[in-house]
Amino acid sequence: DLLWIPVWLFPYLAPACLYCLYSSTLMTEVLHSNALPLFQLFILLGLLALAASVALLIRALTGRLTPVQALRGNAALKLLQIPAYLILFGMGTLLVLALFTAPFALIFLLFDGVSILLCGLPGLGGLLRARREGLLDTRHTVWYSVLQFVFCLDLVGALLAYRRVRRSAGNDPSICR
């Protein structure tokens, strides 16, 4: 499903934009020393990722994605974003260590929060759908839903939720496709 792609790429936007800003060749030859198009692209792709994330949430809630499909996609999404979060963490750490760039670390923190939100919405939809179909009990649904929005634990929660729902679904072809 192509809707996962903008959500998957979103955490990679900040490092890519910073690379463009600090690459003299890209700034002079491509952007003509004007960062505004880069900022506009960043905003546009962020809005696209938000729209895709909300669309995935709605598709999971309305049954256009089965709980297994939604949770499998969510787990894969979180696994694919590990390198981006490592890069963001490293860059944020370097910004905190430098005296004059420490305020930029807050921007990275905000960006991380938005990324976690965007990645958690499709998982939340899959979890609520699994609860509605009786594949998860309320306690596990609440627990895994909270974990969807906690940095680092979101991956653990996504993998555990997918495993539990996949086991509960058994071999039912209408749920496991």
Side-chain angles (χ1 to χ4, degrees), residues 6-8 10-11 13-14 42-43 45-51 53-54 77-78 81 85 88 106-122 148-149 151 154:
V7 182
W8 167 57
F10 183 75
L13 281 177
F42 183 80
I43 296 296
L45 292 176
L47 291 173
L48 178 66
L50 175 64
S53 183
V54 170
L77 175 74
K78 291 176 186 292
Q81 290 178 339
Y85 286 120
L88 287 171
L106 294 175
I107 294 171
F108 275 92
L109 185 64
L110 177 66
F111 184 78
D112 281 343
V114 171
S115 294
I116 296 272
L117 175 71
L118 291 179
C119 299
L121 289 178
Q148 291 296 310
F149 302 102
F151 190 64
D154 61 336

mmCIF file of all heavy atoms in Angstrom, residues 6-8 10-11 13-14 42-43 45-51 53-54 77-78 81 85 88 106-122 148-149 151 154:
data_model
loop_
_atom_site.group_PDB
_atom_site.id
_atom_site.type_symbol
_atom_site.label_atom_id
_atom_site.label_comp_id
_atom_site.label_asym_id
_atom_site.label_seq_id
_atom_site.Cartn_x
_atom_site.Cartn_y
_atom_site.Cartn_z
ATOM 1 N N PRO A 6 4.905 7.888 2.537
ATOM 2 C CA PRO A 6 5.184 9.213 3.119
ATOM 3 C C PRO A 6 5.398 9.178 4.631
ATOM 4 O O PRO A 6 6.221 9.915 5.163
ATOM 5 C CB PRO A 6 3.944 10.047 2.776
ATOM 6 C CG PRO A 6 3.175 9.279 1.791
ATOM 7 C CD PRO A 6 3.622 7.858 1.839
ATOM 8 N N VAL A 7 4.682 8.287 5.313
ATOM 9 C CA VAL A 7 4.837 8.174 6.764
ATOM 10 C C VAL A 7 6.213 7.589 7.085
ATOM 11 O O VAL A 7 6.886 8.022 8.022
ATOM 12 C CB VAL A 7 3.709 7.303 7.373
ATOM 13 C CG1 VAL A 7 3.842 7.220 8.876
ATOM 14 C CG2 VAL A 7 2.349 7.856 6.987
ATOM 15 N N TRP A 8 6.646 6.628 6.275
ATOM 16 C CA TRP A 8 7.955 6.003 6.470
ATOM 17 C C TRP A 8 9.075 7.007 6.225
ATOM 18 O O TRP A 8 10.061 7.047 6.955
ATOM 19 C CB TRP A 8 8.090 4.802 5.533
ATOM 20 C CG TRP A 8 9.471 4.265 5.426
ATOM 21 C CD1 TRP A 8 10.256 3.813 6.447
ATOM 22 C CD2 TRP A 8 10.259 4.141 4.255
ATOM 23 N NE1 TRP A 8 11.477 3.401 5.967
ATOM 24 C CE2 TRP A 8 11.499 3.597 4.621
ATOM 25 C CE3 TRP A 8 10.029 4.423 2.910
ATOM 26 C CZ2 TRP A 8 12.502 3.342 3.705
ATOM 27 C CZ3 TRP A 8 11.030 4.158 1.999
ATOM 28 C CH2 TRP A 8 12.248 3.627 2.406
ATOM 29 N N PHE A 10 9.009 10.323 6.488
ATOM 30 C CA PHE A 10 8.956 11.566 7.258
ATOM 31 C C PHE A 10 10.140 11.768 8.195
ATOM 32 O O PHE A 10 10.743 12.849 8.200
ATOM 33 C CB PHE A 10 7.632 11.683 8.023
ATOM 34 C CG PHE A 10 7.504 12.973 8.764
ATOM 35 C CD1 PHE A 10 7.237 14.147 8.084
ATOM 36 C CD2 PHE A 10 7.679 13.029 10.130
ATOM 37 C CE1 PHE A 10 7.138 15.356 8.751
ATOM 38 C CE2 PHE A 10 7.584 14.227 10.814
ATOM 39 C CZ PHE A 10 7.309 15.392 10.123
ATOM 40 N N PRO A 11 10.546 10.795 9.012
ATOM 41 C CA PRO A 11 11.681 11.045 9.913
ATOM 42 C C PRO A 11 13.004 11.298 9.184
ATOM 43 O O PRO A 11 13.932 11.832 9.762
ATOM 44 C CB PRO A 11 11.782 9.770 10.755
ATOM 45 C CG PRO A 11 10.470 9.135 10.648
ATOM 46 C CD PRO A 11 9.923 9.506 9.315
ATOM 47 N N LEU A 13 13.280 13.313 6.696
ATOM 48 C CA LEU A 13 13.235 14.659 6.121
ATOM 49 C C LEU A 13 14.203 15.635 6.791
ATOM 50 O O LEU A 13 14.885 16.394 6.105
ATOM 51 C CB LEU A 13 11.822 15.240 6.222
ATOM 52 C CG LEU A 13 10.812 14.769 5.217
ATOM 53 C CD1 LEU A 13 9.461 15.403 5.512
ATOM 54 C CD2 LEU A 13 11.242 15.084 3.815
ATOM 55 N N ALA A 14 14.239 15.652 8.099
ATOM 56 C CA ALA A 14 15.088 16.619 8.803
ATOM 57 C C ALA A 14 16.564 16.416 8.485
ATOM 58 O O ALA A 14 17.248 17.385 8.129
ATOM 59 C CB ALA A 14 14.841 16.565 10.305
ATOM 60 N N PHE A 42 9.695 20.758 2.837
ATOM 61 C CA PHE A 42 9.622 20.117 4.145
ATOM 62 C C PHE A 42 8.190 20.165 4.679
ATOM 63 O O PHE A 42 7.647 19.158 5.143
ATOM 64 C CB PHE A 42 10.584 20.809 5.106
ATOM 65 C CG PHE A 42 10.651 20.192 6.467
ATOM 66 C CD1 PHE A 42 11.421 19.061 6.684
ATOM 67 C CD2 PHE A 42 9.949 20.731 7.526
ATOM 68 C CE1 PHE A 42 11.491 18.481 7.936
ATOM 69 C CE2 PHE A 42 10.005 20.166 8.774
ATOM 70 C CZ PHE A 42 10.782 19.040 8.976
ATOM 71 N N ILE A 43 7.555 21.325 4.602
ATOM 72 C CA ILE A 43 6.176 21.492 5.075
ATOM 73 C C ILE A 43 5.218 20.654 4.227
ATOM 74 O O ILE A 43 4.339 19.960 4.758
ATOM 75 C CB ILE A 43 5.758 22.984 5.062
ATOM 76 C CG1 ILE A 43 6.605 23.789 6.035
ATOM 77 C CG2 ILE A 43 4.274 23.143 5.358
ATOM 78 C CD1 ILE A 43 6.448 23.403 7.489
ATOM 79 N N LEU A 45 5.814 17.920 2.410
ATOM 80 C CA LEU A 45 5.976 16.491 2.674
ATOM 81 C C LEU A 45 5.482 16.115 4.070
ATOM 82 O O LEU A 45 4.959 15.020 4.277
ATOM 83 C CB LEU A 45 7.429 16.078 2.487
ATOM 84 C CG LEU A 45 7.927 16.133 1.033
ATOM 85 C CD1 LEU A 45 9.405 15.800 0.966
ATOM 86 C CD2 LEU A 45 7.122 15.233 0.140
ATOM 87 N N GLY A 46 5.616 17.024 5.028
ATOM 88 C CA GLY A 46 5.064 16.783 6.360
ATOM 89 C C GLY A 46 3.549 16.687 6.334
ATOM 90 O O GLY A 46 2.954 15.813 6.969
ATOM 91 N N LEU A 47 2.911 17.578 5.570
ATOM 92 C CA LEU A 47 1.450 17.525 5.444
ATOM 93 C C LEU A 47 1.001 16.274 4.697
ATOM 94 O O LEU A 47 -0.025 15.678 5.038
ATOM 95 C CB LEU A 47 0.940 18.785 4.742
ATOM 96 C CG LEU A 47 1.073 20.079 5.549
ATOM 97 C CD1 LEU A 47 0.690 21.283 4.700
ATOM 98 C CD2 LEU A 47 0.220 20.013 6.815
ATOM 99 N N LEU A 48 1.774 15.872 3.700
ATOM 100 C CA LEU A 48 1.468 14.634 2.981
ATOM 101 C C LEU A 48 1.566 13.426 3.916
ATOM 102 O O LEU A 48 0.712 12.538 3.890
ATOM 103 C CB LEU A 48 2.412 14.472 1.788
ATOM 104 C CG LEU A 48 2.244 13.213 0.961
ATOM 105 C CD1 LEU A 48 0.892 13.203 0.255
ATOM 106 C CD2 LEU A 48 3.371 13.102 -0.052
ATOM 107 N N ALA A 49 2.586 13.407 4.763
ATOM 108 C CA ALA A 49 2.739 12.316 5.729
ATOM 109 C C ALA A 49 1.583 12.310 6.730
ATOM 110 O O ALA A 49 1.079 11.247 7.097
ATOM 111 C CB ALA A 49 4.077 12.428 6.459
ATOM 112 N N LEU A 50 1.152 13.491 7.157
ATOM 113 C CA LEU A 50 0.011 13.577 8.071
ATOM 114 C C LEU A 50 -1.258 13.049 7.411
ATOM 115 O O LEU A 50 -2.001 12.267 8.009
ATOM 116 C CB LEU A 50 -0.188 15.024 8.535
ATOM 117 C CG LEU A 50 -1.419 15.282 9.401
ATOM 118 C CD1 LEU A 50 -1.318 14.524 10.714
ATOM 119 C CD2 LEU A 50 -1.590 16.775 9.645
ATOM 120 N N ALA A 51 -1.495 13.456 6.169
ATOM 121 C CA ALA A 51 -2.680 12.990 5.451
ATOM 122 C C ALA A 51 -2.637 11.469 5.259
ATOM 123 O O ALA A 51 -3.657 10.788 5.427
ATOM 124 C CB ALA A 51 -2.786 13.698 4.099
ATOM 125 N N SER A 53 -1.044 9.285 7.135
ATOM 126 C CA SER A 53 -1.194 8.649 8.438
ATOM 127 C C SER A 53 -2.661 8.624 8.863
ATOM 128 O O SER A 53 -3.161 7.597 9.348
ATOM 129 C CB SER A 53 -0.349 9.396 9.466
ATOM 130 O OG SER A 53 -0.416 8.766 10.710
ATOM 131 N N VAL A 54 -3.357 9.732 8.672
ATOM 132 C CA VAL A 54 -4.781 9.794 9.011
ATOM 133 C C VAL A 54 -5.576 8.858 8.099
ATOM 134 O O VAL A 54 -6.505 8.177 8.557
ATOM 135 C CB VAL A 54 -5.295 11.247 8.942
ATOM 136 C CG1 VAL A 54 -6.801 11.311 9.044
ATOM 137 C CG2 VAL A 54 -4.648 12.086 10.041
ATOM 138 N N LEU A 77 6.911 -0.354 9.457
ATOM 139 C CA LEU A 77 7.179 1.080 9.439
ATOM 140 C C LEU A 77 8.158 1.465 10.544
ATOM 141 O O LEU A 77 9.151 2.154 10.306
ATOM 142 C CB LEU A 77 5.859 1.838 9.613
ATOM 143 C CG LEU A 77 5.894 3.338 9.737
ATOM 144 C CD1 LEU A 77 6.192 3.955 8.379
ATOM 145 C CD2 LEU A 77 4.562 3.843 10.248
ATOM 146 N N LYS A 78 7.901 0.982 11.720
ATOM 147 C CA LYS A 78 8.766 1.321 12.854
ATOM 148 C C LYS A 78 10.160 0.709 12.714
ATOM 149 O O LYS A 78 11.150 1.323 13.098
ATOM 150 C CB LYS A 78 8.094 0.921 14.159
ATOM 151 C CG LYS A 78 6.873 1.805 14.432
ATOM 152 C CD LYS A 78 6.126 1.405 15.654
ATOM 153 C CE LYS A 78 4.851 2.174 15.830
ATOM 154 N NZ LYS A 78 4.966 3.564 16.129
ATOM 155 N N GLN A 81 12.245 2.780 10.278
ATOM 156 C CA GLN A 81 12.601 4.121 10.729
ATOM 157 C C GLN A 81 13.720 4.136 11.770
ATOM 158 O O GLN A 81 14.150 5.212 12.177
ATOM 159 C CB GLN A 81 11.366 4.827 11.279
ATOM 160 C CG GLN A 81 10.389 5.168 10.193
ATOM 161 C CD GLN A 81 9.151 5.821 10.727
ATOM 162 O OE1 GLN A 81 8.820 5.705 11.892
ATOM 163 N NE2 GLN A 81 8.445 6.521 9.862
ATOM 164 N N TYR A 85 15.883 7.538 13.238
ATOM 165 C CA TYR A 85 15.899 7.972 14.635
ATOM 166 C C TYR A 85 17.307 7.978 15.216
ATOM 167 O O TYR A 85 17.631 8.815 16.049
ATOM 168 C CB TYR A 85 14.955 7.123 15.484
ATOM 169 C CG TYR A 85 13.506 7.463 15.227
ATOM 170 C CD1 TYR A 85 12.622 6.512 14.749
ATOM 171 C CD2 TYR A 85 13.036 8.752 15.429
ATOM 172 C CE1 TYR A 85 11.300 6.830 14.497
ATOM 173 C CE2 TYR A 85 11.711 9.080 15.174
ATOM 174 C CZ TYR A 85 10.855 8.111 14.710
ATOM 175 O OH TYR A 85 9.559 8.443 14.452
ATOM 176 N N LEU A 88 18.762 11.190 13.883
ATOM 177 C CA LEU A 88 18.191 12.334 14.601
ATOM 178 C C LEU A 88 18.732 12.428 16.021
ATOM 179 O O LEU A 88 19.013 13.527 16.514
ATOM 180 C CB LEU A 88 16.662 12.233 14.636
ATOM 181 C CG LEU A 88 15.945 12.512 13.325
ATOM 182 C CD1 LEU A 88 14.470 12.163 13.445
ATOM 183 C CD2 LEU A 88 16.122 13.957 12.914
ATOM 184 N N LEU A 106 15.736 21.502 20.564
ATOM 185 C CA LEU A 106 14.294 21.514 20.847
ATOM 186 C C LEU A 106 13.491 21.293 19.582
ATOM 187 O O LEU A 106 12.445 20.641 19.607
ATOM 188 C CB LEU A 106 13.900 22.823 21.520
ATOM 189 C CG LEU A 106 14.483 23.059 22.906
ATOM 190 C CD1 LEU A 106 14.106 24.439 23.417
ATOM 191 C CD2 LEU A 106 14.013 21.976 23.858
ATOM 192 N N ILE A 107 13.979 21.809 18.461
ATOM 193 C CA ILE A 107 13.306 21.595 17.185
ATOM 194 C C ILE A 107 13.358 20.108 16.822
ATOM 195 O O ILE A 107 12.372 19.536 16.368
ATOM 196 C CB ILE A 107 13.937 22.470 16.080
ATOM 197 C CG1 ILE A 107 13.675 23.934 16.397
ATOM 198 C CG2 ILE A 107 13.411 22.089 14.707
ATOM 199 C CD1 ILE A 107 14.416 24.913 15.514
ATOM 200 N N PHE A 108 14.503 19.470 17.071
ATOM 201 C CA PHE A 108 14.616 18.039 16.817
ATOM 202 C C PHE A 108 13.691 17.251 17.734
ATOM 203 O O PHE A 108 13.096 16.255 17.316
ATOM 204 C CB PHE A 108 16.062 17.566 16.982
ATOM 205 C CG PHE A 108 16.877 17.744 15.755
ATOM 206 C CD1 PHE A 108 17.609 18.895 15.552
ATOM 207 C CD2 PHE A 108 16.914 16.756 14.782
ATOM 208 C CE1 PHE A 108 18.353 19.060 14.421
ATOM 209 C CE2 PHE A 108 17.658 16.913 13.643
ATOM 210 C CZ PHE A 108 18.383 18.074 13.459
ATOM 211 N N LEU A 109 13.567 17.675 18.966
ATOM 212 C CA LEU A 109 12.672 17.010 19.902
ATOM 213 C C LEU A 109 11.224 17.128 19.424
ATOM 214 O O LEU A 109 10.468 16.150 19.455
ATOM 215 C CB LEU A 109 12.830 17.605 21.305
ATOM 216 C CG LEU A 109 12.046 16.954 22.423
ATOM 217 C CD1 LEU A 109 12.517 15.519 22.625
ATOM 218 C CD2 LEU A 109 12.216 17.736 23.706
ATOM 219 N N LEU A 110 10.832 18.296 18.970
ATOM 220 C CA LEU A 110 9.497 18.500 18.429
ATOM 221 C C LEU A 110 9.284 17.627 17.188
ATOM 222 O O LEU A 110 8.243 16.994 17.025
ATOM 223 C CB LEU A 110 9.284 19.975 18.091
ATOM 224 C CG LEU A 110 7.963 20.329 17.443
ATOM 225 C CD1 LEU A 110 6.813 20.091 18.423
ATOM 226 C CD2 LEU A 110 7.965 21.767 16.984
ATOM 227 N N PHE A 111 10.282 17.597 16.323
ATOM 228 C CA PHE A 111 10.204 16.780 15.116
ATOM 229 C C PHE A 111 10.048 15.301 15.468
ATOM 230 O O PHE A 111 9.257 14.589 14.840
ATOM 231 C CB PHE A 111 11.453 17.006 14.254
ATOM 232 C CG PHE A 111 11.423 16.282 12.948
ATOM 233 C CD1 PHE A 111 10.668 16.767 11.895
ATOM 234 C CD2 PHE A 111 12.139 15.118 12.774
ATOM 235 C CE1 PHE A 111 10.629 16.098 10.690
ATOM 236 C CE2 PHE A 111 12.114 14.442 11.576
ATOM 237 C CZ PHE A 111 11.356 14.932 10.526
ATOM 238 N N ASP A 112 10.779 14.837 16.472
ATOM 239 C CA ASP A 112 10.645 13.448 16.929
ATOM 240 C C ASP A 112 9.224 13.173 17.429
ATOM 241 O O ASP A 112 8.659 12.117 17.142
ATOM 242 C CB ASP A 112 11.636 13.138 18.047
ATOM 243 C CG ASP A 112 13.036 12.878 17.540
ATOM 244 O OD1 ASP A 112 13.190 12.617 16.329
ATOM 245 O OD2 ASP A 112 13.972 12.953 18.353
ATOM 246 N N GLY A 113 8.676 14.116 18.164
ATOM 247 C CA GLY A 113 7.313 13.953 18.667
ATOM 248 C C GLY A 113 6.292 13.846 17.551
ATOM 249 O O GLY A 113 5.386 13.005 17.594
ATOM 250 N N VAL A 114 6.441 14.693 16.546
ATOM 251 C CA VAL A 114 5.532 14.639 15.392
ATOM 252 C C VAL A 114 5.701 13.311 14.656
ATOM 253 O O VAL A 114 4.725 12.692 14.235
ATOM 254 C CB VAL A 114 5.762 15.842 14.454
ATOM 255 C CG1 VAL A 114 5.001 15.687 13.154
ATOM 256 C CG2 VAL A 114 5.370 17.139 15.145
ATOM 257 N N SER A 115 6.939 12.849 14.530
ATOM 258 C CA SER A 115 7.197 11.568 13.859
ATOM 259 C C SER A 115 6.543 10.409 14.606
ATOM 260 O O SER A 115 5.931 9.529 13.989
ATOM 261 C CB SER A 115 8.698 11.303 13.755
ATOM 262 O OG SER A 115 9.305 12.237 12.919
ATOM 263 N N ILE A 116 6.663 10.410 15.913
ATOM 264 C CA ILE A 116 6.043 9.351 16.717
ATOM 265 C C ILE A 116 4.524 9.397 16.562
ATOM 266 O O ILE A 116 3.869 8.365 16.437
ATOM 267 C CB ILE A 116 6.437 9.502 18.206
ATOM 268 C CG1 ILE A 116 7.915 9.310 18.385
ATOM 269 C CG2 ILE A 116 5.644 8.553 19.085
ATOM 270 C CD1 ILE A 116 8.377 7.912 18.595
ATOM 271 N N LEU A 117 3.962 10.599 16.548
ATOM 272 C CA LEU A 117 2.516 10.740 16.368
ATOM 273 C C LEU A 117 2.080 10.185 15.015
ATOM 274 O O LEU A 117 1.118 9.411 14.931
ATOM 275 C CB LEU A 117 2.106 12.210 16.485
ATOM 276 C CG LEU A 117 0.640 12.505 16.189
ATOM 277 C CD1 LEU A 117 -0.233 11.977 17.311
ATOM 278 C CD2 LEU A 117 0.420 13.982 15.989
ATOM 279 N N LEU A 118 2.791 10.566 13.960
ATOM 280 C CA LEU A 118 2.425 10.107 12.626
ATOM 281 C C LEU A 118 2.538 8.593 12.486
ATOM 282 O O LEU A 118 1.734 7.965 11.798
ATOM 283 C CB LEU A 118 3.302 10.786 11.569
ATOM 284 C CG LEU A 118 3.082 12.273 11.365
ATOM 285 C CD1 LEU A 118 4.036 12.821 10.322
ATOM 286 C CD2 LEU A 118 1.642 12.562 10.971
ATOM 287 N N CYS A 119 3.528 8.015 13.128
ATOM 288 C CA CYS A 119 3.729 6.563 13.035
ATOM 289 C C CYS A 119 2.789 5.807 13.968
ATOM 290 O O CYS A 119 2.525 4.629 13.740
ATOM 291 C CB CYS A 119 5.167 6.209 13.366
ATOM 292 S SG CYS A 119 6.326 6.960 12.240
ATOM 293 N N GLY A 120 2.304 6.452 14.993
ATOM 294 C CA GLY A 120 1.427 5.779 15.943
ATOM 295 C C GLY A 120 -0.021 5.702 15.498
ATOM 296 O O GLY A 120 -0.743 4.780 15.887
ATOM 297 N N LEU A 121 -0.450 6.642 14.667
ATOM 298 C CA LEU A 121 -1.858 6.666 14.257
ATOM 299 C C LEU A 121 -2.288 5.410 13.498
ATOM 300 O O LEU A 121 -3.332 4.838 13.817
ATOM 301 C CB LEU A 121 -2.150 7.926 13.433
ATOM 302 C CG LEU A 121 -2.148 9.237 14.213
ATOM 303 C CD1 LEU A 121 -2.397 10.410 13.281
ATOM 304 C CD2 LEU A 121 -3.168 9.212 15.327
ATOM 305 N N PRO A 122 -1.526 4.948 12.499
ATOM 306 C CA PRO A 122 -1.957 3.701 11.832
ATOM 307 C C PRO A 122 -1.984 2.503 12.778
ATOM 308 O O PRO A 122 -2.876 1.656 12.696
ATOM 309 C CB PRO A 122 -0.906 3.493 10.731
ATOM 310 C CG PRO A 122 -0.296 4.826 10.507
ATOM 311 C CD PRO A 122 -0.360 5.530 11.828
ATOM 312 N N GLN A 148 2.337 2.868 21.450
ATOM 313 C CA GLN A 148 2.483 3.389 20.091
ATOM 314 C C GLN A 148 3.066 4.801 20.086
ATOM 315 O O GLN A 148 3.644 5.227 19.091
ATOM 316 C CB GLN A 148 1.129 3.427 19.364
ATOM 317 C CG GLN A 148 0.558 2.094 19.035
ATOM 318 C CD GLN A 148 1.416 1.319 18.054
ATOM 319 O OE1 GLN A 148 1.817 1.816 17.013
ATOM 320 N NE2 GLN A 148 1.701 0.087 18.399
ATOM 321 N N PHE A 149 2.924 5.515 21.190
ATOM 322 C CA PHE A 149 3.333 6.919 21.240
ATOM 323 C C PHE A 149 4.468 7.176 22.234
ATOM 324 O O PHE A 149 4.677 8.321 22.633
ATOM 325 C CB PHE A 149 2.119 7.787 21.573
ATOM 326 C CG PHE A 149 1.006 7.615 20.570
ATOM 327 C CD1 PHE A 149 -0.088 6.826 20.862
ATOM 328 C CD2 PHE A 149 1.080 8.214 19.324
ATOM 329 C CE1 PHE A 149 -1.104 6.647 19.939
ATOM 330 C CE2 PHE A 149 0.072 8.044 18.395
ATOM 331 C CZ PHE A 149 -1.026 7.257 18.701
ATOM 332 N N PHE A 151 8.528 6.869 22.724
ATOM 333 C CA PHE A 151 9.755 6.699 21.956
ATOM 334 C C PHE A 151 10.511 5.451 22.400
ATOM 335 O O PHE A 151 10.643 5.190 23.580
ATOM 336 C CB PHE A 151 10.631 7.946 22.116
ATOM 337 C CG PHE A 151 11.802 7.990 21.198
ATOM 338 C CD1 PHE A 151 11.619 8.059 19.831
ATOM 339 C CD2 PHE A 151 13.084 7.953 21.684
ATOM 340 C CE1 PHE A 151 12.692 8.103 18.979
ATOM 341 C CE2 PHE A 151 14.168 7.996 20.839
ATOM 342 C CZ PHE A 151 13.968 8.066 19.480
ATOM 343 N N ASP A 154 7.713 2.133 21.238
ATOM 344 C CA ASP A 154 6.735 1.982 20.167
ATOM 345 C C ASP A 154 7.045 0.777 19.297
ATOM 346 O O ASP A 154 6.140 0.055 18.876
ATOM 347 C CB ASP A 154 6.621 3.254 19.337
ATOM 348 C CG ASP A 154 7.920 3.648 18.641
ATOM 349 O OD1 ASP A 154 8.999 3.251 19.112
ATOM 350 O OD2 ASP A 154 7.837 4.383 17.643
#
